[in-house]
Amino acid sequence: MTPILEIRNLTKSFDGVPVLKGIDLDVDPGEVVCVIGSSGSGKSTLLRCLNLLEEPDGGSIRFEERELTDPATDVDRLRADMGMVFQSFNLFRNMSVLGNCTIAQRKVKGKAKAAAETRAIQALSEVGMAGFASQDPAKLSGGQKQRVAIARALSMDPQIMLFDEPTSALDPEMVGEVLDVMKALAASGMTMIVVTHEMAFARAVADRVVFMDQGVIVESGTPEALFLKPQEERTAAFLRRYRA
Amino acid sequence: MTPSPLTRRPAARRLWFNLAAFAAVVGILYALNPDIGEAVGAVSIPDDFVGGSLFTLWKYAGLFLDGAVTTVVISMVGTVVGFAIALLLVFLRLQAPTRRDARAMAFLKIAASRFAKGYVSVFRGTPMIVQAAFFWYGLGLFGDAFVCGLFVVSVNTAAYIAEILRGGIASVDDGQREAARSLGMKPVQAFFAVVFPQAVKHSLPSIGNEFIINVKDTAVLSVIGIFELFNQTRRIAGIHYRQLEAYAIVAVIYLVLTTGLSKLLSIVETKFDLPRPELPSSN
């Protein structure tokens, strides 16, 4: 199977401090990859480099057979195929829930209003938020906001979904509803890269778990292999700290 | 049962207080000069302050009104046109080259940003009275002082509003822009569909404030011979050589204009759920 995403020797530094020190990662269509690691390990930066919200310093990212780091590539077109879910939701505050889910369809894909709304309502139903279409996002709970953010990304019919710690800003009682939506999405065959601290989720849903530390991928493997028999001491130490 | 005035809702209490204050002012004026009818109907200006003021206000109400209308029109047009110019300025100001830009593009963007920065420095850093004199007497580009006045207020206000808008844009969480870009929107689309509407909403109270500031500051246009409220008052004061009465009246008119407009803006702010403005700038 051809990978949908091929990352080779990706590097990035902020003000001379290296954050990614040569990352290699392939993601197959339909695969769910969870990236774990302590804060500052570079996992969020890796995710943000994948759709060029951060411009990488070096290396290559091939997505749908095209090189993202090539200045000639239409990055905006490719971004439309990569859904991104942020830790802090980032719902557009000047629009309703429905507006959040239709604006990009209309501006980027040039869809008519009615078609965009139909797709948006469909996506909102998938996350159980169709009843809130006309609401102001400010009036929603954190879990509801994040579900709308997922629907907003899904409305663009992406080939891959990137999740940047999607439950880290939520109150504990709201984590479950968001993870349930993500589980259903994974079961539907969506390709997903999930940066997360939810070890139980990674274990239950991931096809592959990647452990990052200090800007490198230390170890990757099936959840069973990585969580039960980590090969590297750094992985074992991280998991011990997590259980403690 | 009618509730006592002291237990009424705050709005009603304020109304009662204002009525009482108004009655007190009228009472004091009446005590000082019981013969209002005689003062306003007099053939020549009465010698005392209250009589003189009433006479001046009554006889020259039309002239005061002309001045007030000119002042409000120039302030309003100047603020609206200034806003339009400010949009352009802030667009130029925010240009920043990215790694993907060709060298010529990067140069253009830096030049645009520097120009906008320079514009703001010049127009905020020099008095409007100097700007008015410079464009009217200095360059002499305008055939009509009123048009020149509109121009000066517009370009001056633009500098202030550009800075207000820049602050408004900076106050929009960068996650909003990132989310828009992550969905495939181009920078311009992300800006106009997501960031800018939020920035304007945050900025509107401060822009309203600029309008009120303009009502006061257009007085400097008297230097180029526009008969706005202040210059009109100078003319009225000159008719009978009674400065105190004329300037006391115009002070009250300015106060009524600014407090009235400020009240109007705060009603609009409440209605559209806008944030309260920052403290007004000092000019």
Side-chain angles (χ1 to χ4, degrees):
Chain A
M1 189 158 31
T2 333
I4 187 172
L5 188 67
E6 289 179 48
I7 304 159
R8 291 287 174 274
N9 196 27
L10 195 70
T11 54
K12 172 74 184 174
S13 37
F14 289 114
D15 299 324
V17 181
V19 180
L20 298 178
K21 302 172 186 165
I23 301 287
D24 295 297
L25 185 68
D26 284 358
V27 180
D28 288 330
E31 199 180 11
V32 177
V33 177
C34 284
V35 183
I36 60 170
S38 44
S39 305
S41 60
K43 53 195 193 317
S44 279
T45 305
L46 169 62
L47 203 68
R48 291 166 57 80
C49 279
L50 296 186
N51 65 358
L52 298 190
L53 281 184
E54 302 291 352
E55 189 109 13
D57 294 337
S60 90
I61 304 166
R62 288 187 71 79
F63 174 61
E64 296 179 334
E65 317 275 295
R66 271 164 299 180
E67 178 55 52
L68 256 72
T69 54
D70 179 355
T73 306
D74 183 358
V75 180
D76 295 319
R77 184 71 207 84
L78 289 179
R79 278 201 188 111
D81 283 347
M82 303 173 120
M84 178 125 182
V85 176
F86 300 85
Q87 181 177 341
S88 48
F89 329 127
N90 297 349
L91 291 180
F92 304 135
R93 295 195 190 106
N94 57 325
M95 298 171 203
S96 67
V97 165
L98 190 64
N100 267 274
C101 298
T102 53
I103 181 84
Q105 293 188 68
R106 302 188 63 196
K107 298 263 175 202
V108 178
K109 295 193 160 179
K111 278 205 206 173
K113 190 167 183 237
E117 287 181 353
T118 309
R119 180 67 190 96
I121 294 289
Q122 200 186 342
L124 285 168
S125 308
E126 280 179 60
V127 302
M129 290 296 293
F132 294 82
S134 60
Q135 286 260 12
D136 177 354
K139 300 207 168 75
L140 304 179
S141 73
Q144 291 173 326
K145 282 181 189 165
Q146 196 59 299
R147 281 149 64 198
V148 170
I150 294 172
R152 174 173 70 178
L154 290 177
S155 300
M156 294 297 283
D157 297 306
Q159 299 300 307
I160 187 169
M161 287 282 286
L162 311 175
F163 291 86
D164 187 8
E165 302 195 26
T167 58
S168 298
L170 296 176
D171 290 336
E173 68 267 27
M174 290 168 183
V175 170
E177 62 186 84
V178 172
L179 292 182
D180 286 345
V181 166
M182 291 168 64
K183 274 179 199 160
L185 196 58
S188 76
M190 176 61 76
T191 312
M192 293 164 59
I193 303 180
V194 185
V195 169
T196 188
H197 290 290
E198 297 289 335
M199 298 302 153
F201 173 82
R203 216 161 150 172
V205 179
D207 297 308
R208 188 147 50 102
V209 178
V210 172
F211 171 65
M212 281 183 72
D213 189 34
Q214 295 179 7
V216 296
I217 292 180
V218 176
E219 187 171 354
S220 85
T222 63
E224 295 75 29
L226 197 116
F227 284 117
L228 300 177
K229 293 185 207 107
Q231 301 298 303
E232 300 286 334
E233 176 44 36
R234 276 197 272 177
T235 318
F238 171 76
L239 291 172
R240 267 201 304 278
R241 250 181 297 142
Y242 241 87
R243 281 187 199 116
Chain B
M1 191 183 84
T2 330
S4 124
L6 292 174
T7 60
R8 281 174 213 271
R9 287 179 301 109
R13 209 176 331 163
R14 222 174 307 136
L15 181 67
W16 280 108
F17 179 81
N18 288 345
L19 284 176
F22 182 73
V25 170
V26 171
I28 290 168
L29 288 178
Y30 188 76
L32 287 170
N33 185 335
D35 223 340
I36 292 172
E38 191 178 307
V40 299
V43 182
S44 64
I45 188 163
D47 289 333
D48 66 303
F49 170 71
V50 174
S53 298
L54 291 169
F55 174 86
T56 305
L57 181 60
W58 185 260
K59 191 153 180 204
Y60 304 112
L63 291 179
F64 280 117
L65 185 66
D66 272 357
V69 167
T70 306
T71 284
V72 172
V73 166
I74 292 179
S75 307
M76 198 178 286
V77 174
T79 308
V80 171
V81 176
F83 178 73
I85 301 171
L87 291 180
L88 179 68
L89 282 175
V90 83
F91 172 75
L92 296 177
R93 179 74 165 87
L94 292 176
Q95 296 302 318
T98 66
R99 265 201 239 180
R100 283 171 182 255
D101 285 327
R103 187 172 278 185
M105 191 58 176
F107 177 80
L108 265 178
K109 284 183 170 180
I110 292 172
S113 180
R114 293 261 169 86
F115 167 80
K117 210 171 167 178
Y119 179 103
V120 170
S121 295
V122 168
F123 281 97
R124 291 206 313 174
T126 55
M128 191 155 77
I129 195 167
V130 173
Q131 293 162 16
F134 178 81
F135 282 107
W136 178 245
Y137 299 114
L139 294 182
L141 297 171
F142 297 89
D144 182 10
F146 183 77
V147 176
C148 182
L150 284 178
F151 173 82
V152 168
V153 176
S154 301
V155 295
N156 179 280
T157 307
Y160 288 92
I161 297 183
E163 284 300 279
I164 291 170
L165 285 175
R166 195 164 71 89
I169 290 165
S171 77
V172 177
D173 176 19
D174 200 44
Q176 297 282 308
R177 183 190 62 82
E178 286 190 345
R181 296 302 307 280
S182 81
L183 290 163
M185 286 192 223
K186 297 189 190 317
V188 175
Q189 292 175 323
F191 182 75
F192 283 107
V194 175
V195 177
F196 189 65
Q198 297 181 43
V200 169
K201 189 173 174 179
H202 287 141
S203 306
L204 274 180
S206 299
I207 292 171
N209 223 357
E210 284 302 314
F211 172 45
I212 291 171
I213 288 168
N214 275 340
V215 168
K216 294 182 293 172
D217 283 8
T218 45
V220 305
L221 295 179
S222 58
V223 79
I224 61 171
I226 296 176
F227 285 98
E228 41 63 58
L229 186 51
F230 171 70
N231 211 12
Q232 194 77 328
T233 308
R234 289 210 302 191
R235 193 192 246 180
I236 294 164
I239 299 172
H240 301 285
Y241 302 106
R242 290 287 284 269
Q243 318 282 345
L244 179 62
E245 288 80 359
Y247 291 121
I249 290 168
V250 81
V252 172
I253 295 176
Y254 272 118
L255 194 61
V256 167
L257 281 178
T258 52
T259 49
L261 289 171
S262 157
K263 184 80 200 159
L264 203 68
L265 289 173
S266 84
I267 291 170
V268 172
E269 280 155 24
T270 316
K271 190 151 185 173
F272 290 97
D273 191 24
L274 297 175
R276 292 272 150 191
E278 307 288 308
L279 283 173
S281 56
S282 57
N283 68 338

